[in-house]
Amino acid sequence: MSSVHTPSPAPWEELPLFPLGTVLFPGALLPLQLFELRYLQMIGECERQGSGFGVVTLTQGREVHRPGTAEEQFENIGTRVKIERIERPQPGLVMVWCRGIEKFKLQTPQQRSDGLWTSQVQALPPEPAVQVPDDLQQLSTQMHEALTQLSEQPSVVPHWAEAWRLQDCSWLSNRWGELLPLPLQMKYRLFALHEPLMRLELIGDMVTAAKP
């Protein structure tokens, strides 16, 4: 008699958060210019500990906090990043290039006295590997053309350093979600889906509808 092994949920851990008016898809490169004290301190802590942080999508508030503005609120699924490069061109300014690694869910975010948000987070399971179906192959072809052109542009850090998995629904749909000029809420809805084929089908519908 065989039994199906269900993997244990990932452990909860505390992670510093960076609320932004964007959606960071796994595998995407995110360049940042940091000058707020809370984030300069966060990057210093990440450097000392060899750790990353989490990017979450703002639903209220601004990326740069100003007195009298609405308090930051954000979605409950974010992206863990690893830091690939750090430069300090002048005092009080840090340039950071970081890469989206995996999605996580939040539990009870809290704001420190210096303004930095932290939260207990739990990594979401990896998305299933699903082959791109025949009726969506044009999305793979179009993305190959787009990535080829974009990769020719000079960049301090390669935008897509890994092998292009153009026949994997998860990887391909994440690249479309990353590059399509969609409203923030629509991008987040695509990002939050755990079914890569469904995400790619929705993107296919959008691309088809956008054709003249």
Side-chain angles (χ1 to χ4, degrees):
M1 182 176 178
S2 62
S3 60
V4 177
H5 174 68
T6 302
S8 301
W12 290 90
E13 59 175 309
E14 186 166 320
L15 197 67
L17 301 178
F18 199 128
L20 288 172
T22 189
V23 175
L24 182 62
F25 286 82
L29 182 70
L30 177 66
L32 294 171
Q33 295 187 44
L34 308 182
F35 51 86
E36 283 190 85
L37 182 59
R38 55 177 172 171
Y39 296 131
L40 297 177
Q41 293 175 336
M42 178 191 77
I43 287 298
E45 292 172 10
C46 289
E47 277 190 289
R48 289 191 294 273
Q49 299 169 7
S51 58
F53 55 94
V55 170
V56 288
T57 301
L58 282 167
T59 58
Q60 177 182 287
R62 301 166 61 104
E63 293 182 354
V64 178
H65 181 71
R66 292 185 174 88
T69 58
E71 184 181 83
E72 297 149 333
Q73 295 181 9
F74 34 84
E75 302 282 7
N76 64 356
I77 297 178
T79 308
R80 180 194 299 271
V81 306
K82 70 172 181 178
I83 298 170
E84 295 200 344
R85 185 182 178 97
I86 296 178
E87 292 182 1
R88 291 179 168 83
Q90 63 188 57
L93 177 64
V94 178
M95 313 285 289
V96 180
W97 288 262
C98 45
R99 180 86 56 187
I101 301 301
E102 63 183 5
K103 295 191 287 190
F104 59 75
K105 61 181 179 180
L106 303 173
Q107 184 183 63
T108 59
Q110 296 184 336
Q111 195 169 24
R112 298 193 323 200
S113 58
D114 63 0
L116 182 70
W117 287 94
T118 66
S119 178
Q120 290 290 312
V121 307
Q122 183 183 52
L124 296 178
E127 292 185 350
V130 181
Q131 180 83 5
V132 177
D134 290 343
D135 63 326
L136 295 175
Q137 283 295 324
Q138 77 278 6
L139 294 179
S140 178
T141 302
Q142 291 170 350
M143 183 54 62
H144 182 269
E145 294 171 356
L147 294 184
T148 299
Q149 292 179 4
L150 292 169
S151 296
E152 293 172 353
Q153 300 176 7
S155 176
V156 175
V157 176
H159 276 280
W160 303 280
E162 64 178 348
W164 299 351
R165 302 200 305 275
L166 293 164
Q167 291 302 318
D168 179 81
C169 283
S170 180
W171 193 91
L172 182 61
S173 62
N174 281 335
R175 299 293 69 76
W176 275 101
E178 173 188 355
L179 296 177
L180 277 177
L182 299 173
L184 188 62
Q185 288 185 334
M186 191 176 295
K187 270 190 185 274
Y188 179 78
R189 286 200 293 270
L190 290 173
F191 165 81
L193 282 174
H194 191 64
E195 297 79 16
L197 178 55
M198 182 184 296
R199 184 188 304 120
L200 194 62
E201 288 173 338
L202 290 171
I203 288 168
D205 292 342
M206 294 175 193
V207 172
T208 300
K211 289 181 179 179

